[in-house]
Amino acid sequence: MLDDDEIERLIAATALDDRAAFNALYTATSAKLFGVVLRVLNNRNAAEETLQDVYIKIWHNAGRYQVNGLSPMTWLITIARNTAIDARRRKTREADGDLHEMLADSAPGPENRMSEGSGHARLSACFAELEPDRAGAVRRAYLDGKSYAELAAQYGVPLNTMRSWLRRSLLNLWECLGR
Amino acid sequence: MTNTPDKDEDRVLAGEYAIGLLTPDEAAAFAARLAVEPDLRRLVRQWTEDFACLAEDIEPETPPAWVQAGVDSRLFSGPARGPLGVFRRVVVPLMTAASLVVALFLVSDPGAPGVVSDPGAPGVQPPAPPVYQADLEAEDSSLVFSAGYDATTRQMYVERRQGTARPGRVLELWLIADDNPPVSLGVLPDNARVRLPVPEALRDRLEGGVLALSDEPPGGSPTGAPTGAVLAVGPLMDV
């Protein structure tokens, strides 16, 4: 995996329609993004189709990367995850929950970036402070793209209970992350 | 940093939004606030960075080679320019985009002011790049507008798909760029399709900007800033 600066450079070149840079970006990141998409869709054929959509979005939206203020891997992972969840929900026609293009958030400035390693360690420590069930539900909500309704069914609790669990856990995480 | 209940509520909402747990209505309401509240955007960005760390636990897996070939063929085979090329650049990202915005396509004919037509219609010339496009929809879908910037005529086309201003009120269109205060692009007349000139100073700020519609008294906001409710918002997408 290339470092953040290199990936950022490839995204910037992709925004200028540089196909060689786009290919290099694909080579450097497709295995990670395929993993992310597979995790949500849990189906190889669907994941392969969706991964194409992901890179097509990346090509078209590379010029918007800077204005999002996200670190490059976060931006790519968010596109992959959201596209996969979109595909899954479109397929299951599930009404509950919605998903948003992070692309739509024209947030400025690259402040508050963290290096991947330290961010992960910090986050893991904070997840460890949550009750195991609740930590698991938050992880599933993010990694599997599960809705409140799906999580409630999975954990055998009413939807409102699941919602309070998650919301309380988010607040605990926020406090733990020291903000 | 204070820990008032309102602040906590916003932190939680931003987290739910970043994960995609809100209902469509809740998400639309939150998105409307995001357009005008930089602090909220910062919260969403922080959550997004945090959660992306979770993906480190996911094992990379090399996709089969045909996937990349498929991407290349979908992006680069066929005419690079012309209506089909533009059609792909606009419609493909919209079709796969999440559902806050209504996928809608707007092509203008620079030679015929006010003409708005479907993509692919014979004789329609796509606007010269760069062009930005936005869909604005109210939380309850009572207002649905679409906008597209034509760099050739330097005008913002606005098409009314649904809804009008309340009696005795008008709708005013705003551009919000980065953390800057909203700048008015003008009051929308009642026509279904209008063109608003985009002042030179604003043209460089369209990229990454957000369009918003607010409820204003006749003649538009008297203060130069939105005075009524922000009714609909939509990010300008790079076409």
Side-chain angles (χ1 to χ4, degrees):
Chain A
M1 179 75 74
L2 303 173
D3 67 22
D4 273 7
D5 288 346
E6 186 62 13
I7 293 172
E8 209 156 64
R9 194 190 65 73
L10 292 176
I11 295 172
T14 298
L16 301 173
D17 287 1
D18 179 339
R19 284 164 62 170
F22 181 60
N23 282 338
L25 184 65
Y26 182 94
T27 305
T29 59
S30 56
K32 185 72 199 180
L33 299 193
F34 191 48
V36 169
V37 169
L38 256 181
R39 172 75 185 244
V40 171
L41 290 171
N42 202 22
N43 172 311
R44 281 196 85 86
N45 286 341
E48 288 162 4
E49 290 292 335
T50 298
L51 191 65
Q52 290 192 25
D53 295 339
V54 169
Y55 278 92
I56 283 164
K57 275 188 178 180
I58 290 168
W59 171 263
H60 288 303
N61 289 288
R64 294 182 50 79
Y65 161 67
Q66 291 288 351
V67 298
N68 279 283
L70 297 170
S71 64
M73 278 316 291
T74 296
W75 186 70
L76 295 170
I77 287 167
T78 303
I79 291 176
R81 174 184 179 269
N82 287 1
T83 305
I85 294 174
D86 227 8
R88 188 164 70 84
R89 291 190 183 169
R90 206 166 43 230
K91 207 170 163 188
T92 57
R93 301 206 179 284
E94 194 182 276
D96 183 72
D98 196 20
L99 125 101
H100 330 286
E101 285 288 33
M102 289 311 299
L103 309 174
D105 300 326
S106 54
E111 73 267 37
N112 286 321
R113 287 189 183 181
M114 56 179 88
S115 75
E116 281 194 12
S118 70
H120 184 242
R122 235 156 43 100
L123 192 69
S124 297
C126 290
F127 265 88
E129 288 186 15
L130 299 176
E131 289 174 37
D133 264 8
R134 300 183 187 200
V138 178
R139 294 174 66 87
R140 283 191 165 140
Y142 182 81
L143 292 174
D144 302 343
K146 298 290 188 196
S147 65
Y148 277 135
E150 287 170 312
L151 291 169
Q154 211 158 3
Y155 284 84
V157 297
L159 193 142
N160 282 338
T161 306
M162 180 50 68
R163 186 159 192 197
S164 340
W165 276 18
L166 260 284
R167 288 172 55 84
R168 184 68 228 166
S169 300
L170 287 175
L171 206 51
N172 290 342
L173 282 174
W174 186 272
E175 282 160 5
C176 173
L177 288 164
R179 302 230 169 82
Chain B
M1 181 173 291
T2 55
N3 281 300
T4 61
D6 280 355
K7 289 243 179 208
D8 281 349
E9 177 61 20
D10 279 353
R11 286 167 193 149
V12 170
L13 270 177
E16 289 181 291
Y17 181 84
I19 305 182
L21 285 168
L22 297 177
T23 65
D25 283 355
E26 291 167 338
F30 190 82
R33 290 185 56 203
L34 272 184
V36 292
E37 295 182 43
D39 284 352
L40 225 47
R41 293 205 290 272
R42 199 162 297 122
L43 292 180
V44 171
R45 193 164 66 247
Q46 285 173 336
W47 275 123
T48 304
E49 290 284 356
D50 288 339
F51 286 126
C53 292
L54 289 177
E56 281 184 42
D57 295 340
I58 295 178
E59 279 304 310
E61 182 142 353
T62 305
W66 70 263
V67 172
Q68 186 174 19
V71 171
D72 283 351
S73 117
R74 281 168 65 185
L75 281 175
F76 307 126
S77 63
R81 295 190 180 279
L84 184 58
V86 171
F87 177 83
R88 285 188 174 150
R89 284 188 75 90
V90 180
V91 173
V92 171
L94 281 179
M95 300 276 274
T96 54
S99 50
L100 260 186
V101 292
V102 177
L104 170 91
F105 185 74
L106 193 70
V107 181
S108 62
D109 178 354
V115 170
V116 179
S117 178
D118 290 326
V124 173
Q125 297 300 309
V131 171
Y132 305 99
Q133 193 268 347
D135 296 306
L136 297 93
E137 183 170 358
E139 190 185 338
D140 59 1
S141 298
S142 58
L143 288 176
V144 183
F145 282 74
S146 225
Y149 177 66
D150 184 341
T152 308
T153 61
R154 292 163 180 172
Q155 288 170 319
M156 188 69 77
Y157 290 77
V158 183
E159 188 181 68
R160 179 192 304 272
R161 312 257 300 156
Q162 184 158 310
T164 54
R166 291 190 291 136
R169 304 285 289 181
V170 298
L171 295 173
E172 188 161 357
L173 185 69
W174 304 86
L175 170 68
I176 303 160
D178 294 337
D179 285 340
N180 299 308
V183 181
S184 177
L185 292 174
V187 170
L188 296 183
D190 287 335
N191 313 32
R193 294 163 188 169
V194 298
R195 305 171 139 210
L196 302 169
V198 177
E200 192 172 354
L202 295 184
R203 286 173 208 151
D204 289 343
R205 292 162 62 181
L206 294 171
E207 177 155 8
V210 172
L211 292 183
L213 279 175
S214 72
D215 172 58
E216 299 295 341
S221 162
T223 67
T227 58
V230 173
L231 301 173
V233 293
L236 279 163
M237 305 293 281
D238 192 350
V239 176

